[in-house]
């Protein structure tokens, strides 16, 4: 399919995207923006479209994913909660206070040492994921493929699990060793 044919078909289908965008956004201006962003992404990624597949479904998928990504960004930004009152009472419950502070210090130190023992290639994506970044955001920031990000986080978790095996619940070590040999 030539670029001209692709553009022509996308333009014809674009008229049917607007009602679906209205259903998603419930706002006329947001619906127009969503359709525009969908068409832009479709035209920029026309090389990813496989000829013979359903172009309309492909466009609807792009639109739905764009809407979901935008919604997640908006809710992530607007979920700033004033937690000062919460932290004021955070350590006042006697059930959550460690009576032997040395034990918790050892655990925290061991965890920090285990994380520091990871190679930079593994530690960086793992820590970014730990603090709340999504796989795609990590891939974009580090400029590496998303599969590499997932793999490095998986390996980091596996290495940390092995390094912190001493803290595993009783009886969990035998089962996890058997499961690890199956994974390898």
């Amino acid at each position: 399919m030539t670029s001209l044919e692709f553009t022509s078909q996308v333009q014809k289908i674009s008229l049917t995207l607007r009602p679906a965008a209205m259903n998603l956004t419930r706002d006329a201006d947001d619906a127009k923006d969503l359709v525009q962003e969908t068409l832009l992404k479709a035209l920029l990624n026309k090389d990813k479209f496989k000829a013979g597949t359903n172009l309309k479904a492909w466009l609807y998928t792009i639109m739905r994913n764009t809407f979901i990504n935008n919604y997640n960004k908006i809710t992530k930004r607007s979920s700033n909660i004033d937690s000062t009152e919460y932290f004021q009472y955070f350590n006042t419950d006697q059930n959550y206070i460690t009576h032997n502070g040395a034990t918790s210090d050892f655990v925290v130190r061991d965890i920090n040492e285990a994380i520091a023992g990871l190679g930079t290639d593994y530690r960086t994506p793992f820590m970014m994921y730990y603090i709340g970044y999504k796989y795609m955001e990590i891939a974009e920031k580090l400029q590496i493929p998303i599969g590499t990000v997932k793999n490095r986080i998986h390996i980091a978790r596996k290495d940390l699990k092995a390094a912190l095996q001493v803290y595993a619940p009783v009886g969990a070590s035998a089962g996890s060793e058997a499961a690890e040999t199956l994974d390898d």
Side-chain angles (χ1 to χ4, degrees):
M1 175 183 304
T2 66
S3 292
L4 187 59
E5 290 172 337
F6 180 82
T7 305
S8 172
Q9 287 185 2
V10 167
Q11 192 174 14
K12 288 177 189 172
I13 296 172
S14 69
L15 301 173
T16 65
L17 293 176
R18 183 98 186 266
M22 273 299 289
N23 282 338
L24 291 171
T25 62
R26 308 274 190 241
D27 181 69
D29 291 333
D30 289 342
K32 285 180 187 175
D33 292 342
L34 181 59
V35 169
Q36 251 185 348
E37 192 171 352
T38 301
L39 295 176
L40 177 65
K41 285 182 179 182
L43 293 173
L44 290 175
N45 294 298
K46 66 183 169 208
D47 57 313
K48 294 179 183 173
F49 177 73
K50 293 185 176 102
T53 59
N54 188 343
L55 180 61
K56 189 174 184 179
W58 187 68
L59 290 171
Y60 276 97
T61 302
I62 292 172
M63 185 169 62
R64 186 195 62 206
N65 291 342
T66 302
F67 172 76
I68 290 170
N69 289 340
N70 289 342
Y71 177 80
N72 287 338
K73 284 179 188 174
I74 290 168
T75 56
K76 190 176 185 179
R77 269 190 236 130
S78 64
S79 64
N80 296 334
I81 300 169
D82 183 21
S83 56
T84 52
E85 187 176 319
Y86 172 76
F87 286 123
Q88 201 172 12
Y89 302 106
F90 185 65
N91 285 329
T92 59
D93 188 352
Q94 291 300 316
N95 295 329
Y96 294 104
I97 294 177
T98 305
H99 296 289
N100 183 353
T103 303
S104 64
D105 289 344
F106 285 130
V107 174
V108 170
R109 188 186 70 218
D110 288 349
I111 291 171
N112 288 333
E113 286 176 3
I115 291 171
L118 294 172
T120 306
D121 288 344
Y122 299 101
R123 182 177 50 244
T124 303
F126 174 79
M127 290 308 295
M128 289 176 75
Y129 181 76
Y130 175 75
I131 61 173
Y133 284 92
K134 304 286 184 236
Y135 290 129
M136 189 59 82
E137 294 171 326
I138 297 169
E140 288 172 4
K141 287 203 183 276
L142 298 179
Q143 297 179 344
I144 56 177
I146 191 167
T148 304
V149 169
K150 290 179 180 181
N151 187 41
R152 288 181 182 176
I153 291 171
H154 170 76
I155 291 171
R157 291 176 69 187
K158 189 175 176 183
D159 290 351
L160 290 173
K161 184 177 178 183
L164 300 169
Q165 185 65 34
V166 70
Y167 297 107
V170 177
S173 61
S176 65
E177 289 175 358
E180 285 180 13
T181 56
L182 292 176
D183 291 340
D184 295 335

